[in-house]
Amino acid sequence: QVQLVESGGGLVQAGGSLRLSCAASGRTSTYPMGWFRRAPGKEREFVAGISWDGDYAVYLDSVKGRFTISRDDAENTLGLQMNSLKPEDTAVYYCATRNDAYTAISRRSTDYTSWGQGTQVTVSS
């Protein structure tokens, strides 16, 4: 099973930017991948997903236009560029990958089989 490790979280003021990275221990080039987050007291929610070939991306409505997901299959990494951050973006962010090749992006966490340990993002007002 692929191991995932996130990095890049931290504390930032509202309006600022952060870039999250997720390093995979194995090849993920044929799998859709995604970012999820869990805020204190809330359920885990889908943030962004990218197709196995990197041609398509989908986003949570509240992050559209502010966040950009990307993948570098040569380096086995997944990225999430977060701009214009808001206090409501505060959460632990997780990267995840499906392990069924050439399938569609999914917003359901149950469709993802490998997860990172998470990285904390805190946005102060």
Side-chain angles (χ1 to χ4, degrees):
Q1 193 170 4
V2 173
Q3 304 294 318
L4 302 173
V5 178
E6 303 95 337
S7 61
L11 173 64
V12 64
Q13 287 188 328
S17 298
L18 281 174
R19 178 173 177 80
L20 304 184
S21 292
C22 173
S25 63
R27 186 177 62 89
T28 55
S29 59
T30 59
Y31 306 143
M33 298 185 73
W35 287 97
F36 290 78
R37 68 186 181 188
R38 176 174 285 160
K42 295 188 177 181
E43 297 287 320
R44 181 168 53 188
E45 67 177 351
F46 172 85
V47 175
I50 189 166
S51 61
W52 64 269
D53 57 4
D55 284 349
Y56 300 99
V58 295
Y59 297 93
L60 178 68
D61 283 348
S62 62
V63 309
K64 282 181 183 176
R66 300 189 297 122
F67 289 12
T68 303
I69 188 172
S70 62
R71 64 189 299 160
D72 183 343
D73 290 325
E75 298 292 331
N76 289 327
T77 58
L78 180 72
L80 185 68
Q81 178 66 42
M82 306 187 295
N83 299 328
S84 303
L85 283 160
K86 304 176 181 180
E88 50 264 43
D89 295 319
T90 295
V92 177
Y93 284 71
Y94 302 89
C95 68
T97 183
R98 301 186 66 169
N99 71 350
D100 37 355
Y102 309 115
T103 51
I105 302 169
S106 173
R107 296 175 180 265
R108 298 184 302 185
S109 61
T110 53
D111 285 335
Y112 293 79
T113 53
S114 296
W115 293 82
Q117 82 290 348
T119 185
Q120 176 70 46
V121 171
T122 303
V123 184
S124 63
S125 57

